[in-house]
Amino acid sequence: MSWADVASSQAGAITRRQLIGCGMGSTTVSRLVRSGALIRHAPGVFVVRGAPVTYRTRVWIAVLATGGVVGFATAAHLWGFVAEPPELVQLVLSNGRHVVCPYGARIYRVFVPASAITTYASLPLTTRVWSLLDHLGTLSVPEGLRLVDRAIQRRWIERRDLSRRLEDCPGRRGNRVIRALVAATADGAAAQSERVLHRLLRRAGIRSWKANHGVFVAGRLVAVIDIAILRRRLAIEVDGYAYHSDVDRFERDRHRQNALVSLGWTVLRFTWRDLTERPQYVVHAIERHLR
């Protein structure tokens, strides 16, 4: 592979060592740097003149300068868990090797097992689950709960992954937040709206309901009901406060509701506003169907 191909695969960034490894002499590298054909961005790390310095270029510069692995919020952004990239490129270094942290980067000195490291578009970074867990540990508990709810709903993570982090990494940075998230999600609710509904049902003395009940037809899962009262085939569905921002989910839930009705279920659907501003309406509607 030519040095130009190497630089292209790294969003325009390349190291002196890589240039020499591609057959370029050290004197030639120095001459290209003096002429401005290679622009220095960190010790021994350059960007080819004319290449746009994108966010991915910044990530590559940080990785090449430190030999680190992309982690925490930067990895969470690259995996698509958070929309906005963090201001600083966040890296993980598991060893005690001294490196100079380039401008615009942050290094976390924490252990990451080899099984938790992968590549994404050739970048070394922590795996999806590991990245999400590390990022969750840096958030406040309310922020973390919103993200973990979405992550569970979209199957980015499972609840047992939270507990496993505490078991496998005792004393790790962020475990206080992870521990709070384990407690907050222990009731099986997949969202804050479901937790509010659970509290309403308990306060009203409504019993024998099951959270996130799977309905199968011929061995195939056709629906997961937020709250199921099996003896009455009553399905209670909740639209969370951010519900209508997800068009795909809106359509999926309509298809799911149609499937349940065709199987003989009665479906009651409530909104976040119903739960928080009209809780008595919610309780009375459920009680009427149960009677």
mmCIF file of all heavy atoms in Angstrom, residues 196-217:
data_model
loop_
_atom_site.group_PDB
_atom_site.id
_atom_site.type_symbol
_atom_site.label_atom_id
_atom_site.label_comp_id
_atom_site.label_asym_id
_atom_site.label_seq_id
_atom_site.Cartn_x
_atom_site.Cartn_y
_atom_site.Cartn_z
ATOM 1 N N VAL A 196 -43.651 5.082 35.641
ATOM 2 C CA VAL A 196 -44.752 5.875 36.192
ATOM 3 C C VAL A 196 -46.027 5.044 36.213
ATOM 4 O O VAL A 196 -46.775 5.041 37.200
ATOM 5 C CB VAL A 196 -44.949 7.170 35.373
ATOM 6 C CG1 VAL A 196 -46.197 7.918 35.848
ATOM 7 C CG2 VAL A 196 -43.715 8.066 35.481
ATOM 8 N N LEU A 197 -46.302 4.311 35.126
ATOM 9 C CA LEU A 197 -47.492 3.464 35.069
ATOM 10 C C LEU A 197 -47.437 2.367 36.128
ATOM 11 O O LEU A 197 -48.441 2.066 36.782
ATOM 12 C CB LEU A 197 -47.634 2.851 33.681
ATOM 13 C CG LEU A 197 -48.818 1.894 33.490
ATOM 14 C CD1 LEU A 197 -50.147 2.577 33.823
ATOM 15 C CD2 LEU A 197 -48.847 1.343 32.073
ATOM 16 N N HIS A 198 -46.279 1.763 36.341
ATOM 17 C CA HIS A 198 -46.144 0.739 37.369
ATOM 18 C C HIS A 198 -46.545 1.294 38.741
ATOM 19 O O HIS A 198 -47.265 0.635 39.506
ATOM 20 C CB HIS A 198 -44.702 0.235 37.436
ATOM 21 C CG HIS A 198 -44.285 -0.559 36.239
ATOM 22 N ND1 HIS A 198 -43.064 -1.194 36.154
ATOM 23 C CD2 HIS A 198 -44.902 -0.802 35.054
ATOM 24 C CE1 HIS A 198 -42.963 -1.802 34.992
ATOM 25 N NE2 HIS A 198 -44.064 -1.575 34.301
ATOM 26 N N ARG A 199 -46.079 2.517 39.031
ATOM 27 C CA ARG A 199 -46.409 3.122 40.333
ATOM 28 C C ARG A 199 -47.907 3.373 40.447
ATOM 29 O O ARG A 199 -48.513 3.146 41.513
ATOM 30 C CB ARG A 199 -45.629 4.427 40.515
ATOM 31 C CG ARG A 199 -44.141 4.221 40.766
ATOM 32 C CD ARG A 199 -43.493 5.478 41.324
ATOM 33 N NE ARG A 199 -43.481 6.563 40.355
ATOM 34 C CZ ARG A 199 -42.474 6.769 39.505
ATOM 35 N NH1 ARG A 199 -41.436 5.956 39.499
ATOM 36 N NH2 ARG A 199 -42.513 7.782 38.670
ATOM 37 N N LEU A 200 -48.523 3.834 39.357
ATOM 38 C CA LEU A 200 -49.970 4.076 39.389
ATOM 39 C C LEU A 200 -50.733 2.781 39.663
ATOM 40 O O LEU A 200 -51.682 2.764 40.460
ATOM 41 C CB LEU A 200 -50.433 4.685 38.058
ATOM 42 C CG LEU A 200 -50.023 6.125 37.755
ATOM 43 C CD1 LEU A 200 -50.570 6.546 36.394
ATOM 44 C CD2 LEU A 200 -50.529 7.067 38.837
ATOM 45 N N LEU A 201 -50.348 1.706 39.008
ATOM 46 C CA LEU A 201 -51.036 0.431 39.201
ATOM 47 C C LEU A 201 -50.887 -0.069 40.636
ATOM 48 O O LEU A 201 -51.848 -0.558 41.237
ATOM 49 C CB LEU A 201 -50.486 -0.606 38.222
ATOM 50 C CG LEU A 201 -50.733 -0.343 36.728
ATOM 51 C CD1 LEU A 201 -50.035 -1.394 35.881
ATOM 52 C CD2 LEU A 201 -52.224 -0.322 36.419
ATOM 53 N N ARG A 202 -49.685 0.059 41.190
ATOM 54 C CA ARG A 202 -49.467 -0.414 42.563
ATOM 55 C C ARG A 202 -50.278 0.410 43.554
ATOM 56 O O ARG A 202 -50.889 -0.139 44.485
ATOM 57 C CB ARG A 202 -47.975 -0.344 42.895
ATOM 58 C CG ARG A 202 -47.114 -1.330 42.091
ATOM 59 C CD ARG A 202 -45.694 -1.371 42.628
ATOM 60 N NE ARG A 202 -44.841 -2.214 41.798
ATOM 61 C CZ ARG A 202 -43.950 -1.755 40.927
ATOM 62 N NH1 ARG A 202 -43.777 -0.450 40.773
ATOM 63 N NH2 ARG A 202 -43.215 -2.587 40.217
ATOM 64 N N ARG A 203 -50.289 1.731 43.363
ATOM 65 C CA ARG A 203 -51.038 2.593 44.286
ATOM 66 C C ARG A 203 -52.535 2.329 44.212
ATOM 67 O O ARG A 203 -53.249 2.447 45.209
ATOM 68 C CB ARG A 203 -50.759 4.061 43.967
ATOM 69 C CG ARG A 203 -49.354 4.518 44.339
ATOM 70 C CD ARG A 203 -49.085 5.909 43.810
ATOM 71 N NE ARG A 203 -47.705 6.306 44.020
ATOM 72 C CZ ARG A 203 -47.129 7.361 43.438
ATOM 73 N NH1 ARG A 203 -47.843 8.127 42.611
ATOM 74 N NH2 ARG A 203 -45.876 7.656 43.679
ATOM 75 N N ALA A 204 -53.016 1.961 43.019
ATOM 76 C CA ALA A 204 -54.442 1.685 42.844
ATOM 77 C C ALA A 204 -54.815 0.273 43.297
ATOM 78 O O ALA A 204 -55.998 -0.090 43.281
ATOM 79 C CB ALA A 204 -54.837 1.889 41.387
ATOM 80 N N GLY A 205 -53.827 -0.523 43.673
ATOM 81 C CA GLY A 205 -54.110 -1.875 44.118
ATOM 82 C C GLY A 205 -54.429 -2.839 42.987
ATOM 83 O O GLY A 205 -55.033 -3.895 43.216
ATOM 84 N N ILE A 206 -54.025 -2.487 41.772
ATOM 85 C CA ILE A 206 -54.264 -3.370 40.624
ATOM 86 C C ILE A 206 -53.134 -4.389 40.581
ATOM 87 O O ILE A 206 -51.962 -4.043 40.481
ATOM 88 C CB ILE A 206 -54.335 -2.557 39.314
ATOM 89 C CG1 ILE A 206 -55.507 -1.579 39.374
ATOM 90 C CG2 ILE A 206 -54.464 -3.483 38.109
ATOM 91 C CD1 ILE A 206 -55.575 -0.621 38.201
ATOM 92 N N ARG A 207 -53.500 -5.655 40.633
ATOM 93 C CA ARG A 207 -52.511 -6.714 40.755
ATOM 94 C C ARG A 207 -52.526 -7.627 39.522
ATOM 95 O O ARG A 207 -53.299 -7.439 38.593
ATOM 96 C CB ARG A 207 -52.804 -7.572 41.997
ATOM 97 C CG ARG A 207 -52.849 -6.778 43.295
ATOM 98 C CD ARG A 207 -51.434 -6.449 43.772
ATOM 99 N NE ARG A 207 -51.467 -5.792 45.076
ATOM 100 C CZ ARG A 207 -51.228 -4.505 45.258
ATOM 101 N NH1 ARG A 207 -50.950 -3.733 44.232
ATOM 102 N NH2 ARG A 207 -51.258 -3.984 46.469
ATOM 103 N N SER A 208 -51.661 -8.619 39.578
ATOM 104 C CA SER A 208 -51.605 -9.694 38.564
ATOM 105 C C SER A 208 -51.343 -9.165 37.159
ATOM 106 O O SER A 208 -51.935 -9.633 36.187
ATOM 107 C CB SER A 208 -52.916 -10.502 38.581
ATOM 108 O OG SER A 208 -53.136 -11.065 39.856
ATOM 109 N N TRP A 209 -50.473 -8.184 37.061
ATOM 110 C CA TRP A 209 -50.060 -7.713 35.747
ATOM 111 C C TRP A 209 -48.591 -8.082 35.521
ATOM 112 O O TRP A 209 -47.843 -8.335 36.459
ATOM 113 C CB TRP A 209 -50.268 -6.213 35.582
ATOM 114 C CG TRP A 209 -49.719 -5.361 36.702
ATOM 115 C CD1 TRP A 209 -50.383 -4.931 37.819
ATOM 116 C CD2 TRP A 209 -48.382 -4.828 36.810
ATOM 117 N NE1 TRP A 209 -49.571 -4.178 38.622
ATOM 118 C CE2 TRP A 209 -48.331 -4.087 38.026
ATOM 119 C CE3 TRP A 209 -47.258 -4.891 36.016
ATOM 120 C CZ2 TRP A 209 -47.187 -3.423 38.454
ATOM 121 C CZ3 TRP A 209 -46.100 -4.240 36.438
ATOM 122 C CH2 TRP A 209 -46.085 -3.518 37.642
ATOM 123 N N LYS A 210 -48.220 -8.118 34.270
ATOM 124 C CA LYS A 210 -46.872 -8.514 33.904
ATOM 125 C C LYS A 210 -46.269 -7.475 32.966
ATOM 126 O O LYS A 210 -46.904 -7.092 31.982
ATOM 127 C CB LYS A 210 -46.887 -9.896 33.228
ATOM 128 C CG LYS A 210 -45.500 -10.473 32.966
ATOM 129 C CD LYS A 210 -45.605 -11.893 32.429
ATOM 130 C CE LYS A 210 -44.226 -12.483 32.186
ATOM 131 N NZ LYS A 210 -44.309 -13.862 31.637
ATOM 132 N N ALA A 211 -45.070 -7.026 33.284
ATOM 133 C CA ALA A 211 -44.403 -6.018 32.452
ATOM 134 C C ALA A 211 -43.663 -6.676 31.301
ATOM 135 O O ALA A 211 -43.067 -7.743 31.461
ATOM 136 C CB ALA A 211 -43.429 -5.199 33.297
ATOM 137 N N ASN A 212 -43.734 -6.026 30.132
ATOM 138 C CA ASN A 212 -43.002 -6.481 28.940
ATOM 139 C C ASN A 212 -43.240 -7.958 28.654
ATOM 140 O O ASN A 212 -42.312 -8.767 28.559
ATOM 141 C CB ASN A 212 -41.503 -6.185 29.092
ATOM 142 C CG ASN A 212 -41.208 -4.701 29.117
ATOM 143 O OD1 ASN A 212 -41.525 -3.986 28.175
ATOM 144 N ND2 ASN A 212 -40.628 -4.227 30.203
ATOM 145 N N HIS A 213 -44.498 -8.285 28.490
ATOM 146 C CA HIS A 213 -44.920 -9.666 28.234
ATOM 147 C C HIS A 213 -44.837 -9.968 26.736
ATOM 148 O O HIS A 213 -45.383 -9.243 25.901
ATOM 149 C CB HIS A 213 -46.358 -9.861 28.723
ATOM 150 C CG HIS A 213 -46.937 -11.195 28.355
ATOM 151 N ND1 HIS A 213 -46.487 -12.372 28.891
ATOM 152 C CD2 HIS A 213 -47.943 -11.530 27.485
ATOM 153 C CE1 HIS A 213 -47.175 -13.381 28.388
ATOM 154 N NE2 HIS A 213 -48.053 -12.897 27.531
ATOM 155 N N GLY A 214 -44.140 -11.037 26.388
ATOM 156 C CA GLY A 214 -44.024 -11.428 24.992
ATOM 157 C C GLY A 214 -45.188 -12.289 24.541
ATOM 158 O O GLY A 214 -45.615 -13.200 25.261
ATOM 159 N N VAL A 215 -45.739 -11.991 23.374
ATOM 160 C CA VAL A 215 -46.834 -12.769 22.778
ATOM 161 C C VAL A 215 -46.274 -13.500 21.563
ATOM 162 O O VAL A 215 -45.719 -12.879 20.646
ATOM 163 C CB VAL A 215 -48.006 -11.856 22.359
ATOM 164 C CG1 VAL A 215 -49.098 -12.671 21.674
ATOM 165 C CG2 VAL A 215 -48.560 -11.122 23.576
ATOM 166 N N PHE A 216 -46.426 -14.816 21.556
ATOM 167 C CA PHE A 216 -45.869 -15.642 20.499
ATOM 168 C C PHE A 216 -46.977 -16.335 19.713
ATOM 169 O O PHE A 216 -47.996 -16.721 20.281
ATOM 170 C CB PHE A 216 -44.942 -16.715 21.080
ATOM 171 C CG PHE A 216 -43.687 -16.155 21.703
ATOM 172 C CD1 PHE A 216 -43.695 -15.664 23.002
ATOM 173 C CD2 PHE A 216 -42.504 -16.117 20.981
ATOM 174 C CE1 PHE A 216 -42.547 -15.148 23.576
ATOM 175 C CE2 PHE A 216 -41.348 -15.602 21.550
ATOM 176 C CZ PHE A 216 -41.365 -15.115 22.853
ATOM 177 N N VAL A 217 -46.773 -16.467 18.421
ATOM 178 C CA VAL A 217 -47.675 -17.229 17.556
ATOM 179 C C VAL A 217 -46.822 -18.215 16.771
ATOM 180 O O VAL A 217 -45.908 -17.799 16.036
ATOM 181 C CB VAL A 217 -48.466 -16.316 16.599
ATOM 182 C CG1 VAL A 217 -49.278 -17.150 15.625
ATOM 183 C CG2 VAL A 217 -49.365 -15.377 17.378
#
